Amino acid sequence: MTVFDDLVGQDQATAVLSRAAAAAGEVVRGGRGAGMTHAWLFTGPPGAGREDAARAFAAALLCPDGGCGHCDQCHQVLIGSHPDLESVRPEGLSYSVKQTRELILRAAGAPRQGRWRVILFEGADRATESAANALLKAIEEPPPRTVWLLCAPAPDDLMITIRSRCRLVNLTTPATEAVAHVLATRDSVPWETATFAARAAQGHISRARALAMDEGVRRRREAVLSIPRSLTGVGECVSAAERLVKTAEEEAAAATAVLNESETSELRKLYGEGSTGKGLNRGLVRGGAGALKELEDRQKSRATRIKRDSLDSALLVLVSFYRDVLAMQFGAGVELANDDIRFDLDQLAKASTPEETLRRIDAIMLCRERLGLNVNPQMAVEAMMLALRP
């Protein structure tokens, strides 16, 4: 068993990373370590496991045995508590230059107990232009034992000057059978449910796990898949858009409410709220007003990101619906993501043309693009619903 065993359907990437981990060991022992470099870029479609692969590689770099999977070093990395691993996960819409510079300062430190200082930057594509420029300088001249692991959907999501200095690890979408096997063996999901979830999630492992184990997630999927047959008029399109946006807002509120309250409470305590002593409480709270405002801005950005991600997930479900319709119209012998509603797919396939289906897919992708450009969600989704109407 090694730390790479949990990477589903990524044999080629696993081979590359295993060799690089071995080369890293040679570097530590004073060798040349051909195949090891100080900056890596993990790319691949959503659900392919970019972050999981990067974390497994981090464990292999810090483990004396190249990622054995059972020592203290591996365990600490996999649970996120290793002192030589800095994990960064942008929660808001972007990652600022201030945050990047602070990260670079932390990255400059020497390893505390491991062989390397590893920086795992999830969502590196969210770095602003100025943040990306600061990151480029750090990657160009890294400390001798610092390794950067950047994660992004595609190489083009990063500046060409950054990606040209990174070794690329491209992950692929795992096969349905591989994902189903993981759900059945590791999560004890019944095989029929595991197969349904893997097929519906189209290889997205975490989404498949949620579908298999969360009734609420399955209900939300069913609600999204019921949208195409409900679009019988303009009023129905507006209502469908309103429901979709409202659901995303509720999910964002539920996901952030407890965390926001905890963060705000901790910050207020840090700046002396509730302290006793003449002039103490007032002065410290006033001094923390700027920090509190900065925290609120980050919380709003995080809520917006979660709302956008929720909407995007729903739109991808719609894309899978029309993709299945298109496959049926062309008689393609491919696996249908939504085979459990084959009757609805067949009805729409017979009632429309492939050209109409393609226009609907384009409308959904345009909506995704508009949401990424901060267009008002209600307006963007309403326009899409009207384009989907028969």
Side-chain angles (χ1 to χ4, degrees):
M1 176 181 176
T2 72
V3 291
F4 298 114
D5 290 347
D6 287 337
L7 301 186
V8 181
Q10 308 296 344
D11 295 344
Q12 185 174 357
T14 296
V16 170
L17 297 175
S18 297
R19 289 195 297 269
E26 293 179 13
V27 173
V28 172
R29 293 188 292 271
R32 296 182 59 185
M36 178 57 190
T37 184
H38 65 278
W40 296 75
L41 175 57
F42 293 79
T43 65
R50 297 186 297 263
E51 291 77 17
D52 291 339
R55 190 171 297 277
F57 186 46
L61 291 175
L62 295 171
C63 171
D65 296 321
C68 64
H70 52 75
C71 69
D72 289 341
Q73 300 279 357
C74 289
H75 179 68
Q76 289 176 1
V77 170
L78 296 179
I79 67 174
S81 64
H82 198 290
D84 290 325
L85 173 65
E86 178 85 24
S87 294
V88 181
R89 178 180 296 174
E91 295 182 324
L93 297 174
S94 61
Y95 198 73
S96 69
V97 65
K98 177 183 176 182
Q99 292 172 303
T100 303
R101 286 170 178 163
E102 292 172 351
L103 174 63
I104 292 170
L105 285 176
R106 297 195 298 272
R112 298 179 186 177
Q113 70 179 46
R115 308 182 299 174
W116 302 91
R117 179 77 169 150
V118 182
I119 313 300
L120 199 172
F121 194 164
E122 302 180 19
D125 53 306
R126 295 187 191 178
T128 63
E129 183 176 356
S130 53
N133 286 324
L135 181 62
L136 172 62
K137 293 179 181 178
I139 291 178
E140 284 180 327
E141 301 176 0
R145 288 296 173 84
T146 296
V147 180
W148 288 86
L149 310 180
L150 310 181
C151 302
D156 290 344
D157 291 326
L158 296 182
M159 293 169 46
I160 187 171
T161 46
I162 289 181
R163 65 177 187 262
S164 66
R165 288 163 174 77
C166 297
R167 184 170 180 185
L168 180 63
V169 178
N170 187 39
L171 305 174
T172 59
T173 301
T176 296
E177 294 77 9
V179 176
H181 177 74
V182 169
L183 296 178
T185 57
R186 299 181 191 172
D187 300 305
S188 300
V189 175
W191 180 254
E192 184 177 353
T193 302
T195 303
F196 150 76
R199 183 176 59 244
Q202 301 175 79
H204 195 300
I205 300 172
S206 60
R207 192 176 300 155
R209 182 172 285 112
L211 278 170
M213 307 179 71
D214 191 329
E215 179 64 28
V217 174
R218 291 196 291 273
R219 285 198 300 268
R220 287 193 291 274
R221 170 181 174 269
E222 292 170 1
V224 173
L225 291 175
S226 70
I227 287 175
R229 62 176 179 270
S230 72
L231 304 178
T232 56
V234 174
E236 287 75 11
C237 291
V238 174
S239 296
E242 185 177 357
R243 290 195 304 272
L244 202 60
V245 173
K246 184 178 180 180
T247 298
E249 291 173 344
E250 291 173 347
E251 288 185 12
T256 58
V258 175
L259 183 57
N260 287 355
E261 183 178 353
S262 174
E263 289 175 341
T264 303
S265 176
E266 288 297 321
L267 186 63
R268 288 185 180 278
K269 288 179 182 178
L270 180 64
Y271 280 92
E273 185 173 78
S275 304
T276 58
K278 185 176 179 180
L280 177 62
N281 185 53
R282 178 184 301 175
L284 288 177
V285 171
R286 184 171 60 246
L292 185 61
K293 177 63 169 60
E294 184 178 341
L295 174 62
E296 290 173 349
D297 290 341
R298 290 202 306 269
Q299 290 173 341
K300 289 178 181 177
S301 180
R302 179 171 60 202
T304 301
R305 166 58 61 180
I306 294 174
K307 175 183 174 181
R308 183 181 293 176
D309 288 347
S310 177
L311 270 176
D312 194 61
S313 294
L315 297 182
L316 288 175
V317 172
L318 279 177
V319 169
S320 74
F321 177 91
Y322 288 106
R323 174 260 189 192
D324 286 349
V325 170
L326 190 64
M328 296 184 77
Q329 288 172 329
F330 280 116
V334 297
E335 180 182 68
L336 300 181
N338 305 290
D339 191 65
D340 52 311
I341 56 167
R342 179 178 285 269
F343 178 78
D344 292 340
L345 299 173
D346 185 59
Q347 290 293 102
L348 186 56
K350 292 176 179 177
S352 60
T353 65
E355 290 77 14
E356 290 172 327
T357 303
L358 284 171
R359 283 197 295 270
R360 286 167 179 150
I361 292 175
D362 287 342
I364 300 171
M365 301 307 289
L366 177 59
C367 181
R368 296 183 68 208
E369 182 179 343
R370 287 171 173 170
L371 290 173
L373 295 173
N374 292 323
V375 173
N376 180 280
Q378 184 68 34
M379 295 178 62
V381 177
E382 282 183 7
M384 179 197 72
M385 293 297 184
L386 291 170
L388 299 181
R389 185 180 50 162

